Amino acid sequence: MANVKQKLKFGNKDVSTVNNSDGTFRSLEKVGRPNRQKEKVNGLKDGTQDLRKSFNDSLEGDIRDFLINEAELHTYDDLTKVNPVTPSTVLKCLQARYSAKVFYTHAGCTLVALNPFQPIPHLYSLDVMREYHSAPQPQEFKPHIFIVAEEAYRNVQGQVEPMNQSLVVSGESGAGKTWTSRCLMKYYATVATSSQKYQDTVEKIERRVLDSNPVMEAFGNASTLRNSNSSRFGKYIQLQLNGSQLLVGASVQTYLLEKTRVAFQAPNERNFHIFYQMMKGATEKQRLEWMLPLEQDFAWLPHAKKTLEEDCLQETVEAMINLGIDEGKRAQIFRILAGLLQLGNVEFSPASEEAQQCDLNGHSKGFLQKTADLLQVPLDELQSCLTVRTLRAGKQNVLKPCSQSECAVRRDCLAKVIYAQLFDWLVTFINNSMCSDSSMWCNFIGLLDVYGFECFLLNNLEQLCINYANEKLQQHFVAHYLKAQQEEYVTEGLQWSFIRYQDNQGCLDLIEGSPASIFSLLNEECRLNRASDAKQFRVRLQKELSDNANISWDKFSKEPHFTVAHYAGKVSYRIEGMMEKNKDPVPPELISLLQKSQDSLLHSLFADSDRESEGSRGHSKVVTVVSKFKNSLESLMKILHSTTPHYTRCIKPNPDCRPLTFKKEEVIAQLEACGIVETINISAAGFPIRIPYGSFLQRYGLIANTRLTAQISQLNSPEMSDQAVLGSAVEDVLNAVLKRRVPNSTLSPDDNNNMVHCGKTKVFLTHSLLEMLEEHRNRVRSQKAFCIQCCWRRYLNRQRNLKTQAATRLQAGVRSWLVRREIRKWHKAASVIQTKWRRWRAWMDALAEAELDDAEDFMEKEASSVLPKLDPLLKERGSVQLSNIQEPVMVRGWPIGLAMASAPSITVSLTAKGFQKVMSMITCLKIPFRHGEYKVNTNQFDQGVASIRAQPRGSIKMHLQRSPLLYADMHPVHKTDVVTGFNQILLERT
């Protein structure tokens, strides 16, 4: 394995040895090349000293050669490329990059983030987020926190075991952890909500996830000596993703809120941000409602005139509105907070007699009245609870006045318990507003933002718990990256020489170990029903823990204390008051008072306190602050162990939070404390990706088209993860990928390739080879998908053609049946018509024959039956003077078109039957009767026409379209040389 570095300890200096290019390690003797002919002991000692001196000189020369070109130091994006890797070379690279305003640097498997202490807006814009999210290989871009976020997101998309991810942001107070966590949440809220489906729901969840930050920072962050926006609680945010890797919800788990800050602030420190936001952002109406005059000062609001960026009430209120906190609830929250501020101004004076209650100083009665009004509790009961305590003697309660100090303690206890319960209610409300049902999400990405390592002038139980949490996180990092990886390399048969690192297990044993530790002794002291004694507890610590090298005492100190050597440095803890804080007692009369509050929100915060207190009385075991914090931290560590961690180390460049100021001493101490140099060495020499054979073939077996993938899916037996069974298939996959990169590259089981190593049960890969595998897998999947699409389209085309043919045949059959049915109807109708027509025609022929052959008799008969009786003279003459007809006769008319010559007189020859037809013709022709010069002569009798069948004589003047015959409505003859027509009326010129 190439470029493996071995870290050795010579005195207090770290020295690295580099292996040969063939993968074998050079021994100490080979490096120094001393004179090995001497076989005496003195000669060996001299040779060892010469070796050390030669090696140190060589290392110093390498360092000088590396640092001589300072202009190129800022170009090292990954510190694993630094050669040699020493604290000085790493420090110089970070300093050069910080001076060039490059604040992120890869350090192997971790990301180092230097706090610029000034806003860099373009570095976290939406365009930058989309650029890193859409990049095929984000690792090729400049180091950024978005690379870590995208790597975790793509692990969830690729379903890489373990699928759930955790992003651990660690560092000292003021190193930029809160800002980094905020950027991570903004990134996931942007890239994991890009679906157009359910857009309203997605935007609602995104907005609530982002708005949870301002609310929790306002109620949980404060300005300290080391940081103006220091988190005074720990939180683990789970971003819940569905099967499509879209953000569908989120949940927040909090750890150990520093509630003592409500009633006590160290010198040059402030209370929680929300109190200052109320004082500076309230309107006149709100001030009247909250009873907060502008000129009033509050004892629990030090440095109120100091203005910070976080003192923005409007942003907090808008976030609360978006989270669903209505106006009534907001008003109740701010009234409770205002009541706490008024409570802080209440001071007590000692009583004149021991049996009497303490009195209130000066304006304290007014402050207490405002507190009672704002909390909506009875004033007398509030004052009684603060100045009188209830002692239980058997079945009776005994009232005992409190001393001045006890009254102050009870006042502070009331404020702390109200604020802690209000904070828990806010967290629960936020979770209910944005947490989705468990059936809607299947994976999560966790963001851990805990308080950084702290060391103040006065350190108590809060600092001990905070530093203990940082020790646990450091131990998880050491166990996961530095220890477990190296042990796994040896177990899997890799040629590996252990790199030494700083293990903090001894410090953890001192704090939480068994049978004796600081926590166990502290809990035991709290369970004893006696007054706490700091000196006595110190003596017991010395007696029980004197064998542990991580604890010490200052014999010349006047106050009882103990000093713990943490991984980040030594911290001295004050014992005075530590037992009381660990007990965290809440007098029951205070709880009863708060349950009587007329404020519905405040009443609901303590509605279940009676059940809890009654249940705790039945148990002798006291639940202390240390016990609860330890249990919650252990549950957090279980979550971290079950996920894939991604570490980001935030570094504080200077203790004064000045922009772009780099203090070497400050940075080097943090680098050594968190083990950055050891991490770089292991990452440069090792393989960060470890995948079992079975999982490897399940994901990448399609590259070599191996058949073992299906067998592995069916058989989950231990034999299927053995190198003897799956080794050849794994090699085929790796060779297929490596040959694409280097055509002549091959991999055998005994090779120690610098990109991959096949162990006994796992495949060890570098990030570069993993990217090649993913790229090759995507290419093969695209090809397979294309083949599947072609086959599917061919199948669909065939099915479509078959369906078209079947439909055509069905349509043809139906149409033919319909045509046949229609033709049958036509034939039947035609037969009926023909039959009827034939009958009608025969009947008409018979009537026509009778009419034509016997026209005279028929005319007389018809005239006698139909026409009115006329003068017999008219009938005999056959001609009538039209002007002589005195009365009009109603006759039946036909549409006749008449074309007549302009001669003065004409003779109209009519083919008619009877006098009715004559009169009808006259009426139809509409001949004017002015001069009596026209007459109508019927030639049926006078001209010798015996039948209508007679041929006309002379030229034809006009054809009528309707025959006057009733029945002879047809061609009498069918000849071409005669005028034919169904109806004939001939007009001749006289």
Side-chain angles (χ1 to χ4, degrees), residues 782-835:
S782 298
Q783 295 174 356
K784 301 293 184 184
F786 180 74
C787 294
I788 293 173
Q789 289 174 352
C790 291
C791 295
W792 177 248
R793 287 168 182 162
R794 181 169 59 249
Y795 169 77
L796 290 180
N797 193 20
R798 291 177 178 175
Q799 293 297 317
R800 191 182 301 109
N801 292 335
L802 291 175
K803 291 180 180 179
T804 303
Q805 294 176 4
T808 303
R809 292 173 182 172
L810 288 175
Q811 291 174 354
V814 171
R815 286 172 182 153
S816 62
W817 178 80
L818 291 175
V819 169
R820 286 195 298 271
R821 187 182 68 172
E822 199 68 24
I823 290 176
R824 290 194 197 100
K825 291 182 180 179
W826 291 351
H827 281 299
K828 186 176 180 180
S831 300
V832 172
I833 292 172
Q834 288 174 355
T835 302

Side-chain angles (χ1 to χ4, degrees), residues 71 122 144 250 295 463 650 676 872 945 965 985:
H122 67 275
H144 202 289
E295 66 279 358
Q463 281 68 41
C650 296
I676 288 294
V945 179
L965 300 179
I985 294 181

Side-chain angles (χ1 to χ4, degrees), residues 464-465 468 511-512 517-524 626 630:
L464 179 62
C465 293
Y468 164 65
I511 298 175
E512 64 169 2
S517 63
I518 296 176
F519 281 175
S520 63
L521 295 176
L522 191 59
N523 288 334
E524 184 178 347
V626 165
K630 182 180 177 182

Side-chain angles (χ1 to χ4, degrees), residues 3 62 145 176 212 240-241 295 453 482 487 526 605 729 742 818 827 838 840 845 883 892 947 950 977:
N3 298 329
D62 292 340
I145 188 62
S212 64
Q240 300 161 351
L241 307 176
E295 66 279 358
F453 184 83
L482 305 182
E487 291 178 351
C526 292
L605 296 180
V742 182
L818 291 175
H827 281 299
R838 290 189 185 103
W840 179 81
D845 289 344
S883 60
R892 185 178 177 186
S947 173
D977 56 347

Side-chain angles (χ1 to χ4, degrees), residues 389-400 588-589 617:
R389 60 177 176 172
T390 303
L391 300 178
R392 193 173 183 85
K395 296 182 180 180
Q396 296 181 352
N397 294 329
V398 179
L399 301 179
K400 181 181 179 181
E589 51 267 26
R617 290 172 189 171

Side-chain angles (χ1 to χ4, degrees), residues 309-556:
E309 182 183 355
E310 291 75 19
D311 297 341
C312 182
L313 180 63
Q314 185 63 29
E315 181 180 357
T316 303
V317 172
E318 290 178 358
M320 295 172 74
I321 294 173
N322 294 334
L323 288 172
I325 303 177
D326 56 34
E327 185 177 0
K329 282 288 187 293
R330 295 197 305 272
Q332 290 177 322
I333 291 172
F334 290 124
R335 281 200 302 267
I336 293 173
L337 296 176
L340 297 184
L341 290 179
Q342 298 291 348
L343 181 63
N345 283 355
V346 176
E347 295 181 356
F348 302 92
S349 60
S352 57
E353 297 181 6
E354 185 178 355
Q356 294 181 354
Q357 302 178 10
C358 291
D359 297 327
L360 299 177
N361 288 341
H363 301 285
S364 296
K365 291 183 179 180
F367 296 142
L368 192 63
Q369 179 65 51
K370 291 181 179 180
T371 302
D373 294 339
L374 290 169
L375 300 182
Q376 298 186 21
V377 295
L379 175 61
D380 296 338
E381 293 187 22
L382 175 59
Q383 184 174 355
S384 176
C385 289
L386 295 179
T387 57
V388 179
R389 60 177 176 172
T390 303
L391 300 178
R392 193 173 183 85
K395 296 182 180 180
Q396 296 181 352
N397 294 329
V398 179
L399 301 179
K400 181 181 179 181
C402 299
S403 63
Q404 182 182 8
S405 60
E406 289 175 343
C407 291
V409 170
R410 294 170 76 87
R411 176 201 61 195
D412 297 348
C413 180
L414 179 61
K416 289 187 294 183
V417 70
I418 292 176
Y419 193 84
Q421 289 292 95
L422 181 61
F423 184 81
D424 292 340
W425 179 88
L426 274 173
V427 173
T428 303
F429 189 93
I430 290 173
N431 284 332
N432 293 335
S433 67
M434 65 182 183
C435 184
S436 62
D437 188 73
S438 58
S439 60
M440 297 180 59
W441 62 277
C442 52
N443 301 115
F444 69 85
I445 298 178
L447 306 179
L448 180 61
D449 177 20
V450 295
Y451 10 60
F453 184 83
E454 292 184 349
C455 179
F456 301 128
L457 295 176
L458 296 177
N459 302 287
N460 210 287
L461 183 65
E462 295 85 2
Q463 281 68 41
L464 179 62
C465 293
I466 288 173
N467 294 338
Y468 164 65
N470 283 272
E471 289 283 354
K472 292 289 288 186
L473 293 177
Q474 177 66 16
Q475 195 263 347
H476 176 264
F477 175 77
V478 168
H480 186 269
Y481 281 112
L482 305 182
K483 183 178 180 180
Q485 283 192 18
Q486 297 190 84
E487 291 178 351
E488 190 174 24
Y489 291 158
V490 176
T491 304
E492 291 290 330
L494 277 74
Q495 295 182 6
W496 184 264
S497 181
F498 273 91
I499 296 176
R500 296 182 183 181
Y501 55 87
Q502 181 182 357
D503 194 352
N504 65 334
Q505 187 61 46
C507 184
L508 284 175
D509 293 339
L510 170 68
I511 298 175
E512 64 169 2
S514 60
S517 63
I518 296 176
F519 281 175
S520 63
L521 295 176
L522 191 59
N523 288 334
E524 184 178 347
E525 188 72 20
C526 292
R527 293 189 185 101
L528 297 177
N529 190 12
R530 65 183 184 186
S532 58
D533 189 347
K535 293 183 179 179
Q536 185 178 357
F537 184 69
R538 174 185 172 180
V539 172
R540 191 174 183 190
L541 287 176
Q542 290 178 338
K543 180 180 178 181
E544 298 289 343
L545 304 176
S546 58
D547 295 337
N548 196 310
N550 292 288
I551 190 171
S552 59
W553 296 268
D554 185 3
K555 298 180 180 179
F556 302 100

Side-chain angles (χ1 to χ4, degrees), residues 958-969:
M958 183 182 65
H959 294 276
L960 298 180
Q961 295 181 352
R962 187 70 177 175
S963 173
L965 300 179
L966 294 178
Y967 303 104
D969 193 11

